[in-house]
Amino acid sequence: MGNWSLYLIWCGTAIAIAGLVVLTAVQGNILLAYGLIMVGLTLLICGVAGRKQTQTWLMTFWSRRSVQLGTNGFLSAIAMLFIWLSINGIAAQFPLRFDLTETQVNSLSSQTRQTIQTLKEPLKIWLFQEVDDAEVTPFLENYRRINSRIQYQFVDPDIDVRLIRRFNVQNRGEVHLEYGEKTQFVQTLAAEESLTEAKLTNAILRITSDRQPQLYILQGHGEPPLDDSQKGLVQMVKALEAQGYRVNALNLIQTPNIPADGDIIAIIAPQTALLPGEVELLQEFLDQQKSLLFLLDPNTDPNLDSILEQWGIGLDQRILIDGDRRSEQLGYGNTAIITTRYGTHPITKSLDDDISLYQFVRPIAVKPTAGIKANSFLLSDELTWAESQLPSPDATFDPATDLRGPVDFGIALESQYREDLELPKARVVVIGNTSLATNNGFSQYANGDILLNVMNWLDQNRDVSLAIRPRSPENRRLQLTTAQVNLIAWLGPVIFPLGGLITGLILFKKRR
């Protein structure tokens, strides 16, 4: 065995040297060189291991306790390294991310996910600035991870003049979308105005939509104006336009016809009765399988009974009272209803336990009607009741005239008389409250989400999933008093070290 070992050692050495010569002299035949080196090293190791002196030394070496412990430690380290690499590999293939922020600003909303998952063509996000000084790359990566068809690129506006002209860029920091042959301006990045999910997702909705639904808001009966006053509707209008709607006022006295392009008509807080001719036009609009939205205040009679009764709807003249006065801590009276309970319906299925707030609510009664499918999606809880008298701060429940909660005040209705359910159906939503649509109430809690989802459901021609609208980050600043600032200044250098020293002295004394 000794002679064979010597032969293997000499042959292995010679073959390994030949491989090194080939590697240095013949640059093109790298595989042959590495093959010779591997074969040579293998023979060399076998030859050395086959010698009796080597075997005796190895037996002595491995019998040492220090070597055994060192080997166990080395193998344990290799095993831990392998486990760590495996976990990282699995995490890279199946990433899990947790967002602990208040409004989930580091996660994409369900509406965004559903919107970008259904993209039929590649979507390119162009950012006209040479570097990411606004730090939007992690934000854009959230979109790209959900759909690889979404790509983004930073462009130096001083170099790529062709793209500047193509997108008609006017300012550094502009963000544009490209989807097929269509382009869409999103916004201009600035220190005080970063790119948010609300703006980007709404821009994607606009550029991917094949049509713009038309909403008409009825005017001429004391309804809230489409302006920025406290009881105006401009916030709702802007939110709808951001999602691709066209919104216009409609006065049936001045224009005694409903435009043919209308998809939805909203009747919001009329203070005087509609004329019979106007009611007939609304009925004809419904007969065309279109949609109507009614937001109606308590103690008003808009003369809409001829339409509502056909759909099984009755307007209760009472007003809801919160018997537990939960809204008083928010600065409202007992006529403000706070709810986290919603019916099972596409309008509210994504709200979970989100809070919504309504001031001055009238109950909506519904009775089964042939050919009409009705669902309650807004309702109060057991601590409320419908008050028959004028509300007062010390109102009490009268079982003879009042109605104990839960009480419905938001009903979604849909005609069911068509055999082919794929064809458009007339849809009606009746809500016994108007504050959620006004500038004062639209941005409160989930009010805006509910109203946008109502519009999306009424627009039955629009293929947009109902979900929570994208969130913008809340500005949460910690306001500290001078005493609190001084306390924090003393905590690190003085109080914590002193506490550790005292604890150590106490433990030392106990041990002695």
Side-chain angles (χ1 to χ4, degrees), residues 192-227:
E192 66 279 0
E193 187 177 6
S194 62
L195 184 61
T196 62
E197 182 186 358
K199 294 178 181 178
L200 183 55
T201 298
N202 286 327
I204 293 174
L205 283 172
R206 291 195 299 270
I207 198 173
T208 56
S209 178
D210 296 330
R211 57 181 291 276
Q212 282 187 291
Q214 176 67 61
L215 167 67
Y216 286 105
I217 300 178
L218 195 64
Q219 298 284 281
H221 313 87
E223 294 92 347
L226 277 61
D227 60 19

PDB file of all heavy atoms in Angstrom, residues 192-227:
ATOM      1  N   GLU A 192     -42.585  69.364   0.291  1.00  0.00           N
ATOM      2  CA  GLU A 192     -43.803  69.386   1.087  1.00  0.00           C
ATOM      3  C   GLU A 192     -44.916  68.531   0.475  1.00  0.00           C
ATOM      4  O   GLU A 192     -46.009  68.451   1.027  1.00  0.00           O
ATOM      5  CB  GLU A 192     -44.299  70.828   1.263  1.00  0.00           C
ATOM      6  CG  GLU A 192     -44.750  71.503  -0.023  1.00  0.00           C
ATOM      7  CD  GLU A 192     -43.601  72.064  -0.844  1.00  0.00           C
ATOM      8  OE1 GLU A 192     -42.443  71.913  -0.404  1.00  0.00           O
ATOM      9  OE2 GLU A 192     -43.853  72.645  -1.911  1.00  0.00           O
ATOM     10  N   GLU A 193     -44.660  67.891  -0.647  1.00  0.00           N
ATOM     11  CA  GLU A 193     -45.697  67.104  -1.314  1.00  0.00           C
ATOM     12  C   GLU A 193     -45.067  65.863  -1.925  1.00  0.00           C
ATOM     13  O   GLU A 193     -44.568  65.875  -3.039  1.00  0.00           O
ATOM     14  CB  GLU A 193     -46.397  67.929  -2.393  1.00  0.00           C
ATOM     15  CG  GLU A 193     -47.595  67.215  -3.016  1.00  0.00           C
ATOM     16  CD  GLU A 193     -48.319  68.074  -4.035  1.00  0.00           C
ATOM     17  OE1 GLU A 193     -47.819  69.176  -4.328  1.00  0.00           O
ATOM     18  OE2 GLU A 193     -49.360  67.634  -4.525  1.00  0.00           O
ATOM     19  N   SER A 194     -45.072  64.776  -1.177  1.00  0.00           N
ATOM     20  CA  SER A 194     -44.498  63.526  -1.650  1.00  0.00           C
ATOM     21  C   SER A 194     -45.540  62.722  -2.413  1.00  0.00           C
ATOM     22  O   SER A 194     -46.727  63.050  -2.414  1.00  0.00           O
ATOM     23  CB  SER A 194     -43.976  62.710  -0.463  1.00  0.00           C
ATOM     24  OG  SER A 194     -45.037  62.388   0.416  1.00  0.00           O
ATOM     25  N   LEU A 195     -45.073  61.680  -3.071  1.00  0.00           N
ATOM     26  CA  LEU A 195     -45.968  60.816  -3.830  1.00  0.00           C
ATOM     27  C   LEU A 195     -46.692  59.878  -2.872  1.00  0.00           C
ATOM     28  O   LEU A 195     -46.063  59.104  -2.154  1.00  0.00           O
ATOM     29  CB  LEU A 195     -45.166  60.009  -4.860  1.00  0.00           C
ATOM     30  CG  LEU A 195     -45.966  59.127  -5.813  1.00  0.00           C
ATOM     31  CD1 LEU A 195     -46.914  59.958  -6.657  1.00  0.00           C
ATOM     32  CD2 LEU A 195     -45.028  58.326  -6.702  1.00  0.00           C
ATOM     33  N   THR A 196     -48.023  59.947  -2.848  1.00  0.00           N
ATOM     34  CA  THR A 196     -48.809  59.125  -1.931  1.00  0.00           C
ATOM     35  C   THR A 196     -49.564  58.050  -2.700  1.00  0.00           C
ATOM     36  O   THR A 196     -49.757  58.133  -3.918  1.00  0.00           O
ATOM     37  CB  THR A 196     -49.821  59.981  -1.147  1.00  0.00           C
ATOM     38  OG1 THR A 196     -50.743  60.575  -2.074  1.00  0.00           O
ATOM     39  CG2 THR A 196     -49.111  61.072  -0.366  1.00  0.00           C
ATOM     40  N   GLU A 197     -49.997  57.044  -1.948  1.00  0.00           N
ATOM     41  CA  GLU A 197     -50.751  55.957  -2.571  1.00  0.00           C
ATOM     42  C   GLU A 197     -52.065  56.454  -3.151  1.00  0.00           C
ATOM     43  O   GLU A 197     -52.500  56.010  -4.217  1.00  0.00           O
ATOM     44  CB  GLU A 197     -51.020  54.862  -1.537  1.00  0.00           C
ATOM     45  CG  GLU A 197     -51.759  53.666  -2.111  1.00  0.00           C
ATOM     46  CD  GLU A 197     -52.148  52.664  -1.043  1.00  0.00           C
ATOM     47  OE1 GLU A 197     -51.805  52.871   0.136  1.00  0.00           O
ATOM     48  OE2 GLU A 197     -52.812  51.673  -1.397  1.00  0.00           O
ATOM     49  N   ALA A 198     -52.708  57.395  -2.449  1.00  0.00           N
ATOM     50  CA  ALA A 198     -53.987  57.919  -2.938  1.00  0.00           C
ATOM     51  C   ALA A 198     -53.831  58.544  -4.316  1.00  0.00           C
ATOM     52  O   ALA A 198     -54.622  58.297  -5.230  1.00  0.00           O
ATOM     53  CB  ALA A 198     -54.543  58.934  -1.947  1.00  0.00           C
ATOM     54  N   LYS A 199     -52.795  59.359  -4.497  1.00  0.00           N
ATOM     55  CA  LYS A 199     -52.605  60.032  -5.780  1.00  0.00           C
ATOM     56  C   LYS A 199     -52.203  59.059  -6.875  1.00  0.00           C
ATOM     57  O   LYS A 199     -52.714  59.125  -8.004  1.00  0.00           O
ATOM     58  CB  LYS A 199     -51.553  61.132  -5.635  1.00  0.00           C
ATOM     59  CG  LYS A 199     -51.990  62.269  -4.723  1.00  0.00           C
ATOM     60  CD  LYS A 199     -50.900  63.309  -4.565  1.00  0.00           C
ATOM     61  CE  LYS A 199     -51.343  64.422  -3.635  1.00  0.00           C
ATOM     62  NZ  LYS A 199     -50.279  65.432  -3.422  1.00  0.00           N
ATOM     63  N   LEU A 200     -51.277  58.142  -6.572  1.00  0.00           N
ATOM     64  CA  LEU A 200     -50.798  57.224  -7.606  1.00  0.00           C
ATOM     65  C   LEU A 200     -51.874  56.230  -8.007  1.00  0.00           C
ATOM     66  O   LEU A 200     -52.084  55.975  -9.200  1.00  0.00           O
ATOM     67  CB  LEU A 200     -49.550  56.495  -7.106  1.00  0.00           C
ATOM     68  CG  LEU A 200     -48.885  55.544  -8.107  1.00  0.00           C
ATOM     69  CD1 LEU A 200     -48.544  56.270  -9.398  1.00  0.00           C
ATOM     70  CD2 LEU A 200     -47.641  54.902  -7.507  1.00  0.00           C
ATOM     71  N   THR A 201     -52.587  55.658  -7.034  1.00  0.00           N
ATOM     72  CA  THR A 201     -53.623  54.674  -7.369  1.00  0.00           C
ATOM     73  C   THR A 201     -54.766  55.316  -8.142  1.00  0.00           C
ATOM     74  O   THR A 201     -55.285  54.739  -9.096  1.00  0.00           O
ATOM     75  CB  THR A 201     -54.150  54.004  -6.094  1.00  0.00           C
ATOM     76  OG1 THR A 201     -53.079  53.313  -5.453  1.00  0.00           O
ATOM     77  CG2 THR A 201     -55.260  53.015  -6.421  1.00  0.00           C
ATOM     78  N   ASN A 202     -55.180  56.506  -7.729  1.00  0.00           N
ATOM     79  CA  ASN A 202     -56.249  57.185  -8.462  1.00  0.00           C
ATOM     80  C   ASN A 202     -55.817  57.518  -9.885  1.00  0.00           C
ATOM     81  O   ASN A 202     -56.624  57.458 -10.821  1.00  0.00           O
ATOM     82  CB  ASN A 202     -56.672  58.449  -7.719  1.00  0.00           C
ATOM     83  CG  ASN A 202     -57.489  58.140  -6.479  1.00  0.00           C
ATOM     84  OD1 ASN A 202     -58.240  57.167  -6.447  1.00  0.00           O
ATOM     85  ND2 ASN A 202     -57.345  58.955  -5.448  1.00  0.00           N
ATOM     86  N   ALA A 203     -54.545  57.866 -10.077  1.00  0.00           N
ATOM     87  CA  ALA A 203     -54.046  58.108 -11.431  1.00  0.00           C
ATOM     88  C   ALA A 203     -54.052  56.819 -12.250  1.00  0.00           C
ATOM     89  O   ALA A 203     -54.372  56.830 -13.451  1.00  0.00           O
ATOM     90  CB  ALA A 203     -52.639  58.692 -11.372  1.00  0.00           C
ATOM     91  N   ILE A 204     -53.717  55.690 -11.618  1.00  0.00           N
ATOM     92  CA  ILE A 204     -53.762  54.400 -12.325  1.00  0.00           C
ATOM     93  C   ILE A 204     -55.200  54.061 -12.703  1.00  0.00           C
ATOM     94  O   ILE A 204     -55.471  53.545 -13.800  1.00  0.00           O
ATOM     95  CB  ILE A 204     -53.136  53.300 -11.450  1.00  0.00           C
ATOM     96  CG1 ILE A 204     -51.639  53.560 -11.271  1.00  0.00           C
ATOM     97  CG2 ILE A 204     -53.354  51.924 -12.069  1.00  0.00           C
ATOM     98  CD1 ILE A 204     -50.961  52.603 -10.307  1.00  0.00           C
ATOM     99  N   LEU A 205     -56.140  54.338 -11.795  1.00  0.00           N
ATOM    100  CA  LEU A 205     -57.551  54.097 -12.112  1.00  0.00           C
ATOM    101  C   LEU A 205     -57.988  54.904 -13.331  1.00  0.00           C
ATOM    102  O   LEU A 205     -58.696  54.399 -14.206  1.00  0.00           O
ATOM    103  CB  LEU A 205     -58.422  54.451 -10.908  1.00  0.00           C
ATOM    104  CG  LEU A 205     -58.463  53.448  -9.749  1.00  0.00           C
ATOM    105  CD1 LEU A 205     -59.199  54.053  -8.567  1.00  0.00           C
ATOM    106  CD2 LEU A 205     -59.123  52.160 -10.187  1.00  0.00           C
ATOM    107  N   ARG A 206     -57.543  56.157 -13.397  1.00  0.00           N
ATOM    108  CA  ARG A 206     -57.950  57.008 -14.515  1.00  0.00           C
ATOM    109  C   ARG A 206     -57.355  56.534 -15.831  1.00  0.00           C
ATOM    110  O   ARG A 206     -58.038  56.488 -16.853  1.00  0.00           O
ATOM    111  CB  ARG A 206     -57.552  58.457 -14.243  1.00  0.00           C
ATOM    112  CG  ARG A 206     -58.324  59.118 -13.123  1.00  0.00           C
ATOM    113  CD  ARG A 206     -58.150  60.633 -13.136  1.00  0.00           C
ATOM    114  NE  ARG A 206     -56.758  61.023 -12.962  1.00  0.00           N
ATOM    115  CZ  ARG A 206     -56.193  61.244 -11.798  1.00  0.00           C
ATOM    116  NH1 ARG A 206     -56.912  61.089 -10.683  1.00  0.00           N
ATOM    117  NH2 ARG A 206     -54.936  61.605 -11.707  1.00  0.00           N
ATOM    118  N   ILE A 207     -56.071  56.171 -15.831  1.00  0.00           N
ATOM    119  CA  ILE A 207     -55.419  55.835 -17.088  1.00  0.00           C
ATOM    120  C   ILE A 207     -55.828  54.451 -17.595  1.00  0.00           C
ATOM    121  O   ILE A 207     -55.778  54.180 -18.793  1.00  0.00           O
ATOM    122  CB  ILE A 207     -53.887  55.923 -16.932  1.00  0.00           C
ATOM    123  CG1 ILE A 207     -53.220  56.011 -18.312  1.00  0.00           C
ATOM    124  CG2 ILE A 207     -53.334  54.737 -16.151  1.00  0.00           C
ATOM    125  CD1 ILE A 207     -51.729  56.280 -18.248  1.00  0.00           C
ATOM    126  N   THR A 208     -56.243  53.558 -16.683  1.00  0.00           N
ATOM    127  CA  THR A 208     -56.635  52.213 -17.109  1.00  0.00           C
ATOM    128  C   THR A 208     -58.125  52.093 -17.403  1.00  0.00           C
ATOM    129  O   THR A 208     -58.561  51.078 -17.931  1.00  0.00           O
ATOM    130  CB  THR A 208     -56.261  51.183 -16.032  1.00  0.00           C
ATOM    131  OG1 THR A 208     -56.871  51.557 -14.783  1.00  0.00           O
ATOM    132  CG2 THR A 208     -54.751  51.113 -15.857  1.00  0.00           C
ATOM    133  N   SER A 209     -58.894  53.108 -17.060  1.00  0.00           N
ATOM    134  CA  SER A 209     -60.336  53.043 -17.277  1.00  0.00           C
ATOM    135  C   SER A 209     -60.661  53.325 -18.743  1.00  0.00           C
ATOM    136  O   SER A 209     -60.094  54.230 -19.364  1.00  0.00           O
ATOM    137  CB  SER A 209     -61.058  54.046 -16.379  1.00  0.00           C
ATOM    138  OG  SER A 209     -62.446  54.018 -16.626  1.00  0.00           O
ATOM    139  N   ASP A 210     -61.581  52.545 -19.303  1.00  0.00           N
ATOM    140  CA  ASP A 210     -61.995  52.740 -20.693  1.00  0.00           C
ATOM    141  C   ASP A 210     -63.034  53.843 -20.830  1.00  0.00           C
ATOM    142  O   ASP A 210     -63.300  54.316 -21.933  1.00  0.00           O
ATOM    143  CB  ASP A 210     -62.569  51.429 -21.263  1.00  0.00           C
ATOM    144  CG  ASP A 210     -61.519  50.329 -21.327  1.00  0.00           C
ATOM    145  OD1 ASP A 210     -60.336  50.669 -21.492  1.00  0.00           O
ATOM    146  OD2 ASP A 210     -61.887  49.152 -21.193  1.00  0.00           O
ATOM    147  N   ARG A 211     -63.628  54.249 -19.717  1.00  0.00           N
ATOM    148  CA  ARG A 211     -64.668  55.257 -19.787  1.00  0.00           C
ATOM    149  C   ARG A 211     -64.691  56.041 -18.478  1.00  0.00           C
ATOM    150  O   ARG A 211     -64.139  55.601 -17.467  1.00  0.00           O
ATOM    151  CB  ARG A 211     -66.048  54.624 -20.008  1.00  0.00           C
ATOM    152  CG  ARG A 211     -66.421  53.612 -18.936  1.00  0.00           C
ATOM    153  CD  ARG A 211     -67.771  52.979 -19.175  1.00  0.00           C
ATOM    154  NE  ARG A 211     -68.827  53.947 -18.995  1.00  0.00           N
ATOM    155  CZ  ARG A 211     -69.360  54.265 -17.818  1.00  0.00           C
ATOM    156  NH1 ARG A 211     -68.898  53.708 -16.719  1.00  0.00           N
ATOM    157  NH2 ARG A 211     -70.333  55.137 -17.735  1.00  0.00           N
ATOM    158  N   GLN A 212     -65.314  57.206 -18.515  1.00  0.00           N
ATOM    159  CA  GLN A 212     -65.496  58.016 -17.323  1.00  0.00           C
ATOM    160  C   GLN A 212     -66.978  58.051 -16.979  1.00  0.00           C
ATOM    161  O   GLN A 212     -67.779  58.596 -17.745  1.00  0.00           O
ATOM    162  CB  GLN A 212     -64.995  59.442 -17.553  1.00  0.00           C
ATOM    163  CG  GLN A 212     -63.495  59.606 -17.488  1.00  0.00           C
ATOM    164  CD  GLN A 212     -63.108  61.077 -17.545  1.00  0.00           C
ATOM    165  OE1 GLN A 212     -63.255  61.734 -18.563  1.00  0.00           O
ATOM    166  NE2 GLN A 212     -62.627  61.590 -16.429  1.00  0.00           N
ATOM    167  N   PRO A 213     -67.366  57.473 -15.848  1.00  0.00           N
ATOM    168  CA  PRO A 213     -68.778  57.530 -15.454  1.00  0.00           C
ATOM    169  C   PRO A 213     -69.199  58.961 -15.168  1.00  0.00           C
ATOM    170  O   PRO A 213     -68.426  59.762 -14.645  1.00  0.00           O
ATOM    171  CB  PRO A 213     -68.838  56.651 -14.206  1.00  0.00           C
ATOM    172  CG  PRO A 213     -67.442  56.592 -13.706  1.00  0.00           C
ATOM    173  CD  PRO A 213     -66.545  56.724 -14.883  1.00  0.00           C
ATOM    174  N   GLN A 214     -70.434  59.276 -15.528  1.00  0.00           N
ATOM    175  CA  GLN A 214     -70.975  60.624 -15.363  1.00  0.00           C
ATOM    176  C   GLN A 214     -71.943  60.665 -14.194  1.00  0.00           C
ATOM    177  O   GLN A 214     -72.922  59.920 -14.149  1.00  0.00           O
ATOM    178  CB  GLN A 214     -71.692  61.069 -16.639  1.00  0.00           C
ATOM    179  CG  GLN A 214     -72.372  62.420 -16.538  1.00  0.00           C
ATOM    180  CD  GLN A 214     -71.390  63.564 -16.376  1.00  0.00           C
ATOM    181  OE1 GLN A 214     -70.553  63.792 -17.246  1.00  0.00           O
ATOM    182  NE2 GLN A 214     -71.484  64.284 -15.268  1.00  0.00           N
ATOM    183  N   LEU A 215     -71.636  61.532 -13.226  1.00  0.00           N
ATOM    184  CA  LEU A 215     -72.503  61.747 -12.070  1.00  0.00           C
ATOM    185  C   LEU A 215     -73.088  63.144 -12.155  1.00  0.00           C
ATOM    186  O   LEU A 215     -72.364  64.125 -12.334  1.00  0.00           O
ATOM    187  CB  LEU A 215     -71.705  61.589 -10.767  1.00  0.00           C
ATOM    188  CG  LEU A 215     -72.392  62.092  -9.488  1.00  0.00           C
ATOM    189  CD1 LEU A 215     -73.610  61.237  -9.159  1.00  0.00           C
ATOM    190  CD2 LEU A 215     -71.414  62.115  -8.315  1.00  0.00           C
ATOM    191  N   TYR A 216     -74.408  63.233 -12.001  1.00  0.00           N
ATOM    192  CA  TYR A 216     -75.086  64.524 -11.917  1.00  0.00           C
ATOM    193  C   TYR A 216     -75.628  64.698 -10.508  1.00  0.00           C
ATOM    194  O   TYR A 216     -76.233  63.779  -9.943  1.00  0.00           O
ATOM    195  CB  TYR A 216     -76.230  64.609 -12.929  1.00  0.00           C
ATOM    196  CG  TYR A 216     -75.748  64.794 -14.358  1.00  0.00           C
ATOM    197  CD1 TYR A 216     -75.776  63.740 -15.262  1.00  0.00           C
ATOM    198  CD2 TYR A 216     -75.267  66.025 -14.787  1.00  0.00           C
ATOM    199  CE1 TYR A 216     -75.332  63.912 -16.569  1.00  0.00           C
ATOM    200  CE2 TYR A 216     -74.823  66.207 -16.091  1.00  0.00           C
ATOM    201  CZ  TYR A 216     -74.858  65.142 -16.968  1.00  0.00           C
ATOM    202  OH  TYR A 216     -74.411  65.328 -18.260  1.00  0.00           O
ATOM    203  N   ILE A 217     -75.379  65.870  -9.934  1.00  0.00           N
ATOM    204  CA  ILE A 217     -75.860  66.201  -8.592  1.00  0.00           C
ATOM    205  C   ILE A 217     -76.986  67.215  -8.735  1.00  0.00           C
ATOM    206  O   ILE A 217     -76.785  68.312  -9.274  1.00  0.00           O
ATOM    207  CB  ILE A 217     -74.730  66.766  -7.720  1.00  0.00           C
ATOM    208  CG1 ILE A 217     -73.605  65.726  -7.589  1.00  0.00           C
ATOM    209  CG2 ILE A 217     -75.256  67.151  -6.340  1.00  0.00           C
ATOM    210  CD1 ILE A 217     -72.416  66.207  -6.780  1.00  0.00           C
ATOM    211  N   LEU A 218     -78.164  66.838  -8.265  1.00  0.00           N
ATOM    212  CA  LEU A 218     -79.349  67.675  -8.440  1.00  0.00           C
ATOM    213  C   LEU A 218     -79.229  68.969  -7.630  1.00  0.00           C
ATOM    214  O   LEU A 218     -78.784  68.958  -6.483  1.00  0.00           O
ATOM    215  CB  LEU A 218     -80.595  66.894  -8.006  1.00  0.00           C
ATOM    216  CG  LEU A 218     -81.942  67.477  -8.451  1.00  0.00           C
ATOM    217  CD1 LEU A 218     -82.063  67.453  -9.975  1.00  0.00           C
ATOM    218  CD2 LEU A 218     -83.087  66.701  -7.803  1.00  0.00           C
ATOM    219  N   GLN A 219     -79.634  70.074  -8.236  1.00  0.00           N
ATOM    220  CA  GLN A 219     -79.615  71.392  -7.604  1.00  0.00           C
ATOM    221  C   GLN A 219     -80.964  72.075  -7.838  1.00  0.00           C
ATOM    222  O   GLN A 219     -81.762  71.643  -8.663  1.00  0.00           O
ATOM    223  CB  GLN A 219     -78.494  72.255  -8.187  1.00  0.00           C
ATOM    224  CG  GLN A 219     -77.075  71.704  -7.957  1.00  0.00           C
ATOM    225  CD  GLN A 219     -76.579  71.905  -6.551  1.00  0.00           C
ATOM    226  OE1 GLN A 219     -76.149  73.002  -6.173  1.00  0.00           O
ATOM    227  NE2 GLN A 219     -76.614  70.846  -5.750  1.00  0.00           N
ATOM    228  N   GLY A 220     -81.214  73.153  -7.094  1.00  0.00           N
ATOM    229  CA  GLY A 220     -82.417  73.936  -7.288  1.00  0.00           C
ATOM    230  C   GLY A 220     -83.475  73.779  -6.225  1.00  0.00           C
ATOM    231  O   GLY A 220     -84.551  74.372  -6.322  1.00  0.00           O
ATOM    232  N   HIS A 221     -83.193  72.977  -5.171  1.00  0.00           N
ATOM    233  CA  HIS A 221     -84.185  72.752  -4.109  1.00  0.00           C
ATOM    234  C   HIS A 221     -83.562  72.982  -2.733  1.00  0.00           C
ATOM    235  O   HIS A 221     -83.941  72.326  -1.765  1.00  0.00           O
ATOM    236  CB  HIS A 221     -84.765  71.335  -4.193  1.00  0.00           C
ATOM    237  CG  HIS A 221     -85.174  70.932  -5.573  1.00  0.00           C
ATOM    238  ND1 HIS A 221     -84.277  70.370  -6.463  1.00  0.00           N
ATOM    239  CD2 HIS A 221     -86.355  71.046  -6.211  1.00  0.00           C
ATOM    240  CE1 HIS A 221     -84.894  70.129  -7.606  1.00  0.00           C
ATOM    241  NE2 HIS A 221     -86.165  70.539  -7.482  1.00  0.00           N
ATOM    242  N   GLY A 222     -82.573  73.868  -2.670  1.00  0.00           N
ATOM    243  CA  GLY A 222     -81.881  74.133  -1.416  1.00  0.00           C
ATOM    244  C   GLY A 222     -80.799  73.127  -1.101  1.00  0.00           C
ATOM    245  O   GLY A 222     -80.363  73.035   0.056  1.00  0.00           O
ATOM    246  N   GLU A 223     -80.340  72.345  -2.100  1.00  0.00           N
ATOM    247  CA  GLU A 223     -79.283  71.360  -1.866  1.00  0.00           C
ATOM    248  C   GLU A 223     -77.944  72.048  -1.577  1.00  0.00           C
ATOM    249  O   GLU A 223     -77.736  73.210  -1.941  1.00  0.00           O
ATOM    250  CB  GLU A 223     -79.127  70.441  -3.075  1.00  0.00           C
ATOM    251  CG  GLU A 223     -80.311  69.534  -3.351  1.00  0.00           C
ATOM    252  CD  GLU A 223     -81.315  70.145  -4.306  1.00  0.00           C
ATOM    253  OE1 GLU A 223     -81.212  71.378  -4.558  1.00  0.00           O
ATOM    254  OE2 GLU A 223     -82.190  69.420  -4.795  1.00  0.00           O
ATOM    255  N   PRO A 224     -77.026  71.351  -0.930  1.00  0.00           N
ATOM    256  CA  PRO A 224     -75.693  71.922  -0.697  1.00  0.00           C
ATOM    257  C   PRO A 224     -75.015  72.257  -2.031  1.00  0.00           C
ATOM    258  O   PRO A 224     -75.105  71.479  -2.986  1.00  0.00           O
ATOM    259  CB  PRO A 224     -74.942  70.805   0.036  1.00  0.00           C
ATOM    260  CG  PRO A 224     -76.012  69.935   0.621  1.00  0.00           C
ATOM    261  CD  PRO A 224     -77.161  70.002  -0.331  1.00  0.00           C
ATOM    262  N   PRO A 225     -74.326  73.384  -2.108  1.00  0.00           N
ATOM    263  CA  PRO A 225     -73.655  73.757  -3.355  1.00  0.00           C
ATOM    264  C   PRO A 225     -72.365  72.965  -3.552  1.00  0.00           C
ATOM    265  O   PRO A 225     -71.823  72.378  -2.617  1.00  0.00           O
ATOM    266  CB  PRO A 225     -73.363  75.248  -3.159  1.00  0.00           C
ATOM    267  CG  PRO A 225     -73.228  75.391  -1.675  1.00  0.00           C
ATOM    268  CD  PRO A 225     -74.188  74.413  -1.063  1.00  0.00           C
ATOM    269  N   LEU A 226     -71.885  72.988  -4.783  1.00  0.00           N
ATOM    270  CA  LEU A 226     -70.636  72.289  -5.105  1.00  0.00           C
ATOM    271  C   LEU A 226     -69.452  73.232  -4.895  1.00  0.00           C
ATOM    272  O   LEU A 226     -68.662  73.503  -5.802  1.00  0.00           O
ATOM    273  CB  LEU A 226     -70.653  71.768  -6.544  1.00  0.00           C
ATOM    274  CG  LEU A 226     -71.360  70.424  -6.793  1.00  0.00           C
ATOM    275  CD1 LEU A 226     -72.839  70.504  -6.425  1.00  0.00           C
ATOM    276  CD2 LEU A 226     -71.194  69.987  -8.231  1.00  0.00           C
ATOM    277  N   ASP A 227     -69.303  73.742  -3.666  1.00  0.00           N
ATOM    278  CA  ASP A 227     -68.220  74.668  -3.370  1.00  0.00           C
ATOM    279  C   ASP A 227     -67.507  74.228  -2.104  1.00  0.00           C
ATOM    280  O   ASP A 227     -67.759  73.143  -1.576  1.00  0.00           O
ATOM    281  CB  ASP A 227     -68.750  76.108  -3.241  1.00  0.00           C
ATOM    282  CG  ASP A 227     -69.786  76.253  -2.132  1.00  0.00           C
ATOM    283  OD1 ASP A 227     -69.853  75.369  -1.238  1.00  0.00           O
ATOM    284  OD2 ASP A 227     -70.551  77.243  -2.140  1.00  0.00           O
TER     285      ASP A 227
END
